[in-house]
Amino acid sequence: MPSENAPTLTIEHPSTGTERSVVAHGVWQVHALSQRGALKAINKTLDALRGNDLTWDLSGIASLDHIGAQMFWNAWGKRRPDRLLLDPRQEDLFARVEKAGKNALPRTRTSPLNWVIALGRGVLTFFEHMRGAITLIGQVVQDIGRFIRHPITGPWREVSANIYHSGFQALGITALVGFLIGVVLSYLSAQQLRMFGGDIYLVNILGMSIIRELGPLLAAILVAGRSGSSITAQLGVMRVTEELDAMLVMGISHGYRLIMPKVVALAVAMPLLVVWTDAMALIGGMASAKVELGLTARYFFQKLPSAVPLVNYTIGMGKGIAFGMLIALVSCHFGLRIKPNTESLGRGTTTSVVTAITVVILADAVFAIVFSGVGF
């Protein structure tokens, strides 16, 4: 139901001439204009009147603020109409709007060499990240050496907590995704193998692809998205709440108490997650093969050891260790670079996840090249 003081525009036709006049009434303030449908109706009417030679009578307006005055100003083409009737209280407001409209915005200079500047900035940023990552790796190596020399005073509790959060709590999502990927891979492979009468080779395809490639990569991507983002956000929040500064004041090393336990924990948890994901993916593939091709679980268990040489299990475990350490290092690197504001926290977490997944895929490509002649 429209309010009694709702902003209105009335178009009148004087009997003495052909000129039309626009008379405004009501409250032209932001709270009245924000009422449901009011702003849309007013803008529609003002757009219809834009450019017409009219007489404007604003003296009947009960109250007017800058938003309402700006709407009239825009409808007038940013200049006062020739025939305008204002209340004396409105003169100062329109004088300020008119004066503000004459202020020239600073001109933005564009250089034809902007792409060179952007390229140079990107290269410098890359080398800055590389220097920070190398420094972090060196610090972690030193801390691991200290941990080995003095195991009794080491951060066992932090390592255990990180194994629980990054490994045990990720069992559910890795099992679900691994099982579904196994079902899909088995189903699609069975479709092709049936055409060429090679049903018995399904175990070979599933075993090699899952144990050597898909299992480690799938577990790493899930851990990078779940645990990697958690690590970056945790360090970022500690930066925002100045807990990192407080640790330095108390003489507690960030590397020994925060970074090294996360790297060690993921190096321990990731190979176990890889084995878990491999097992669930093979179970999914086994179930799909039973439905699609009628292959029994017993046939799977008998065929798998001969289809997948033992060295492939070792390569998969090695990938798990390498991927876990890389995810922890990348997450900690971006977590320590977060500035004490929420915008930097969100941007840093997103960048950390994207970079961790990219680094994992690059490392997987290196593994594929280095071990291309092994395990077949």
Side-chain angles (χ1 to χ4, degrees):
M1 182 177 179
S3 171
E4 183 180 353
N5 291 324
T8 57
L9 285 174
T10 306
I11 302 174
E12 297 181 350
H13 299 268
S15 57
T16 55
T18 57
E19 294 178 351
R20 294 187 300 168
S21 61
V22 181
V23 181
H25 295 282
V27 177
W28 285 71
Q29 291 184 329
V30 63
H31 68 275
L33 292 168
S34 62
Q35 296 295 321
R36 185 176 183 180
L39 189 61
K40 183 178 180 181
I42 292 294
N43 278 328
K44 185 177 180 180
T45 306
L46 288 175
D47 288 341
L49 299 174
R50 195 186 301 269
N52 294 332
D53 187 14
L54 302 169
T55 300
W56 293 81
D57 183 3
L58 309 187
S59 59
I61 292 179
S63 58
L64 179 71
D65 66 359
H66 183 83
I67 300 298
Q70 190 66 47
M71 292 180 66
F72 283 114
W73 191 253
N74 293 337
W76 296 340
K78 301 188 183 302
R79 66 177 183 83
R80 291 197 182 207
D82 297 333
R83 295 180 296 279
L84 174 62
L85 182 58
L86 295 177
D87 188 274
R89 295 172 299 175
Q90 301 167 350
E91 285 289 349
D92 291 342
L93 182 59
F94 278 101
R96 288 197 298 271
V97 172
E98 186 175 13
K99 183 179 179 181
K102 294 179 180 177
N103 293 334
L105 296 176
R107 185 179 177 183
T108 304
R109 294 184 177 181
T110 57
S111 169
L113 298 178
N114 273 346
W115 67 274
V116 177
I117 298 173
L119 179 62
R121 187 185 297 118
V123 171
L124 290 177
T125 304
F126 173 75
F127 282 110
E128 183 186 356
H129 279 285
M130 286 296 294
R131 188 184 66 175
I134 293 172
T135 304
L136 184 63
I137 292 172
Q139 181 66 45
V140 170
V141 171
Q142 287 184 347
D143 291 332
I144 291 177
R146 177 185 170 190
F147 187 27
I148 294 173
R149 290 194 304 273
H150 308 285
I152 298 178
T153 59
W156 291 101
R157 186 171 297 177
E158 288 86 347
V159 172
S160 174
N162 279 288
I163 290 176
Y164 174 76
H165 291 301
S166 303
F168 179 77
Q169 291 187 339
L171 289 177
I173 185 64
T174 52
L176 176 63
V177 176
F179 182 84
L180 295 177
I181 290 294
V183 170
V184 172
L185 184 62
S186 176
Y187 179 78
L188 294 179
S189 301
Q191 295 281 341
Q192 298 298 317
L193 291 172
R194 183 186 293 156
M195 295 172 58
F196 301 101
D199 301 9
I200 59 174
Y201 296 108
L202 180 63
V203 182
N204 301 57
I205 294 175
L206 284 181
M208 287 296 292
S209 59
I210 290 175
I211 293 173
R212 183 171 174 126
E213 194 64 38
L214 284 180
L217 195 60
L218 193 60
I221 291 174
L222 291 174
V223 169
R226 182 190 173 279
S227 304
S229 61
S230 172
I231 291 172
T232 304
Q234 180 189 5
L235 294 176
V237 170
M238 293 180 73
R239 172 73 71 192
V240 173
T241 57
E242 299 181 351
E243 291 180 62
L244 294 179
D245 298 333
M247 290 179 67
L248 287 180
V249 171
M250 291 186 290
I252 301 174
S253 169
H254 293 167
Y256 195 63
R257 291 291 170 182
L258 293 177
I259 311 303
M260 189 268 289
K262 299 183 191 306
V263 175
V264 173
L266 275 180
V268 173
M270 270 300 295
L272 303 177
L273 277 177
V274 167
V275 174
W276 171 255
T277 308
D278 289 348
M280 297 308 298
L282 288 174
I283 291 174
M286 199 184 306
S288 179
K290 174 66 177 175
V291 175
E292 192 67 20
L293 299 176
L295 297 178
T296 63
R298 183 177 180 179
Y299 175 79
F300 249 86
F301 288 122
Q302 290 177 341
K303 182 72 176 175
L304 192 61
S306 59
V308 183
L310 184 62
V311 68
N312 290 286
Y313 296 91
T314 309
I315 293 175
M317 297 280 283
K319 282 185 178 181
I321 297 173
F323 292 169
M325 296 180 71
L326 288 174
I327 292 169
L329 288 171
V330 170
S331 303
C332 292
H333 169 73
F334 283 98
L336 293 175
R337 294 172 64 88
I338 287 176
K339 296 176 182 177
N341 60 71
T342 53
E343 181 184 356
S344 177
L345 176 61
R347 188 169 57 247
T349 305
T350 304
T351 307
S352 167
V353 173
V354 173
T355 307
I357 293 175
T358 305
V359 168
V360 163
I361 294 174
L362 287 175
D364 188 61
V366 172
F367 266 94
I369 294 171
V370 172
F371 297 99
S372 59
V374 180
F376 295 99

